[in-house]
Amino acid sequence: MPGIEIRAPDDFHAHLRQGAPLAAFARRHAAGFARVAPMPNTLPPLATPAALVDYVASIERAAPGLAVIPVFKLIPGMDENDVRALAEAGARIGKYYPAGSTTNSGDGIRDPAEADEALGAMRDLGLALAVHAEEPSAPVLERETAFLPVLDRIVRAHPGLRLSVEHLSGAAAVRWVEEAPETVGATITAHHLCFTLEDLLGESLDTALYCKPLPKSGADRAELRRAACSGSRKFFFGSDSAPHEPARKAAGAAGVYAAPVALALLAGCFEEEGALDGLEGFIAVHGAAFHGLEPNRGSVRLWREDWTVPEAVDGVRPLAAGRTLRWKAARSA
Ligand code: NCD
Ligand code: ZN
């Protein structure tokens, strides 16, 4: 079976949720990834040292083979002492959610000035900032582009702060990242590389593909593919795997369960772009370098094999359910 073996990958953006479902989601992640940055939009949020330490321990208990990069949630008014205490508890990344932008973001930042003191402390302590870059008051397809002035403001106000724009979805944001200083990078998901708004809405509504930010046009996807396959160290993988139980999904929750299919989708995308030799950089090298982490040990094997994505995985309808994919992936020892 033709295949490739590359360094075990990182996922710099995933939702492993909390409570009983967490164990299955963490183990699913461990089947493909050596390390994960789990997002802090739990209820209550991961915004205190105790909550963060507990959460990391619960993932390590459930999936001992999965290393965790601790991420805390920025809450309006957090001060320097709060950030220092989180850093001492192991935090490496702070996540900025504009209030009202996505799942459980009602307690997010309303105005970037509310985060200035925390962001200054993060820069001084060497923590990275990850941003959900959508302006909730803008029309839904324009939210990412409408947020770029806020990113400009953050970069100007906090030079030297490492900033990752999360789940890039549009051409304007890709170009913004490319033109930004070297301290700015971005994650890109497998679904934004593989699908467009047509796949989500064109034939019938595919709720398994409904997420924030929305997948956009073919031209946007082409720019994302160009960036991911360019070899630029600014771009690296974050799955934004975001499982929702069926009842919440039926009620309209945004988020795709990408973990079971992400590596297969990525291999197909990089193969189509004639860039399979760049896949390792995108999933296992660039992000670790950006975040100042050692590269993972071990490897992942990817091989050509047709399979149809099941309708349910871990009690959730996964991304690409019912579609036939051409690659499979599994971590080696
Ligand atoms: C994520 C979730 O459900 O937690 N949803 C999504 O559509 N991506 C939150 C997020 O990353 O925006
Ligand atoms: Zn997310």
Side-chain angles (χ1 to χ4, degrees), residues 13-15 39 41 95 97 102 132 166-167 212 240-242:
H13 182 138
H15 303 264
M39 290 295 117
N41 61 336
K95 178 78 190 278
Y97 289 96
T102 190
H132 183 113
E166 294 306 295
H167 38 55
K212 300 279 182 63
D240 199 10
S241 187

Side-chain angles (χ1 to χ4, degrees), residues 134 140-141 169 192 197 200-201 209-216:
E134 286 196 293
V140 68
L141 284 170
S169 69
H192 290 98
L197 195 59
L200 171 63
L201 293 176
L209 182 53
Y210 173 57
C211 62
K212 300 279 182 63
L214 285 172
K216 299 194 168 64

Side-chain angles (χ1 to χ4, degrees), residues 161-186:
L161 173 67
R162 272 177 303 120
L163 185 162
S164 164
V165 184
E166 294 306 295
H167 38 55
L168 282 185
S169 69
V174 171
R175 285 195 285 273
W176 185 89
V177 171
E178 287 176 328
E179 285 162 18
E182 282 309 307
T183 46
V184 172

